[in-house]
Amino acid sequence: MGDRTVGQRTRRMMARLVSALLALAALLQPSLAQAWGWYGHQTTARIALANVRPETRAAIARLLAHDRELGTPQCRIRDLADAATWPDCLRGEGWRWGYTFSWHYQTEPVGEPYDPRKNCGGGNCVLAQIERNQRILADESLPANVRLEALAFMVHFAGDIHMPLHSGDNDDKGGNAVEAIYGIAPGLNLHSVWDSALAERAISGATPPLVRRYTPHERAALGGGVPADWGRESWELARTFVYANALGRELAPGEKSPEEATLSQEAIVAAIPVAERRIAQAGVRIASLLDTAFAAGPLPGTAR
């Protein structure tokens, strides 16, 4: 075996080792508090791109050419997957983008009736911002960079609203105040379990893969509704499933969340199909939002 062959194999092995270490580091970050983390958001975007009309795909590509006009060199938007994570990348510049941080959620108490107009003063909530940014995206009279920014916000927030703990809450910051024991992963809370570890397992183990072209029957089953409906679905899942799954029992009326929860292997297995479906629903519904935004005709309404 020649020195050249040995060197090539060594470089390949080192590249694989570096990739594995980077992936592990990403999975073990305890500070991630974005819905579905980067992997989940990018998956919803890839599902959407696989299910939009060809005309929509072409229109997205034209907007992406204006990436540098956003003035965010540390947070590029080179494809739809980048767009889906761009609003979370902005968290590194709170002095400039802090006003957008409340747009990622709209938590409603699981012990009270769901109200889509609550906790959304001045449109500062995820539901209102999906609608607002779809309208901006659809308005061809606006500059391309403004529409590209709206594209990123809309795609990201449509993912956020499908994560149960961005809509349901038990006075625990959407599960952020509940320390969660989840296998060997350190530093997690109930919110971050659903954001990252659980979603990543659901995506990587899905059969068939979640990123694919869905049949008309599948799109009909997964799609439909408006953002208020999607928020209600997530709130209902938090109320009836997420807390009970983590605690091994339902919360009693008025009961406070515990400081710690342990997700058993049985609880994790039961939660995977729930997370998988919400990710698929988000992707299919994002595709519909995009097709509507780029379609000819009146601008999308903002009635709630």
Side-chain angles (χ1 to χ4, degrees), residues 48-303:
L49 195 62
N51 287 277
V52 295
R53 294 193 296 260
E55 299 87 347
T56 299
R57 192 176 295 110
I60 292 170
R62 289 194 294 271
L63 284 184
L64 292 172
H66 297 269
D67 161 53
R68 295 187 182 279
E69 297 169 26
L70 294 172
T72 56
Q74 303 303 317
C75 302
R76 299 289 304 280
I77 302 181
R78 289 156 291 199
D79 56 25
L80 195 63
D82 279 349
T85 55
W86 183 79
D88 278 340
C89 183
L90 301 180
R91 291 176 184 272
E93 295 187 2
W95 61 272
R96 179 181 176 190
W97 297 100
Y99 69 94
T100 71
F101 296 170
S102 63
W103 296 355
H104 293 249
Y105 58 89
Q106 186 181 1
T107 49
E108 300 284 342
V110 294
E112 300 176 10
Y114 179 77
D115 181 355
R117 293 174 176 81
K118 191 176 180 181
N119 297 332
C120 195
N124 289 302
C125 73
V126 66
L127 190 162
Q129 289 302 321
I130 294 170
E131 297 172 336
R132 171 181 174 269
N133 283 286
Q134 187 192 32
R135 187 181 179 88
I136 293 171
L137 174 61
D139 191 343
E140 295 182 358
S141 71
L142 296 174
N145 63 303
V146 173
R147 296 177 66 214
L148 177 58
E149 179 181 303
L151 167 75
F153 279 132
M154 186 195 76
V155 170
H156 180 89
F157 296 148
D160 277 345
I161 203 170
H162 282 81
M163 204 285 269
L165 292 173
H166 273 238
S167 291
D169 172 76
N170 192 43
D171 196 25
D172 55 11
K173 300 179 180 179
N176 276 293
V178 181
E179 181 180 346
I181 299 174
Y182 179 93
I184 62 172
L188 297 181
N189 56 58
L190 186 58
H191 191 104
S192 62
V193 163
W194 278 84
D195 274 351
S196 54
L198 185 59
E200 288 157 5
R201 182 166 172 179
I203 294 165
S204 61
T207 303
L210 292 183
V211 180
R212 57 187 167 83
R213 179 74 177 179
Y214 288 83
T215 67
H217 176 75
E218 288 175 318
R219 292 198 297 274
L222 294 168
V226 296
D229 300 319
W230 310 340
R232 185 186 301 275
E233 290 169 356
S234 286
W235 170 84
E236 184 68 19
L237 280 172
R239 185 181 72 85
T240 62
F241 182 82
V242 174
Y243 285 103
N245 173 263
L247 304 178
R249 58 174 177 79
E250 292 187 6
L251 287 168
E255 180 184 359
K256 292 184 178 181
S257 297
E259 294 182 358
E260 180 181 290
T262 300
L263 278 80
S264 66
Q265 182 61 24
E266 291 77 13
I268 294 169
V269 169
I272 287 172
V274 176
E276 181 180 315
R277 179 174 175 81
R278 289 309 275 169
I279 293 165
Q281 285 181 309
V284 168
R285 287 164 170 173
I286 290 169
S288 179
L289 289 171
L290 290 166
D291 280 341
T292 300
F294 287 111
L299 295 176
T302 57

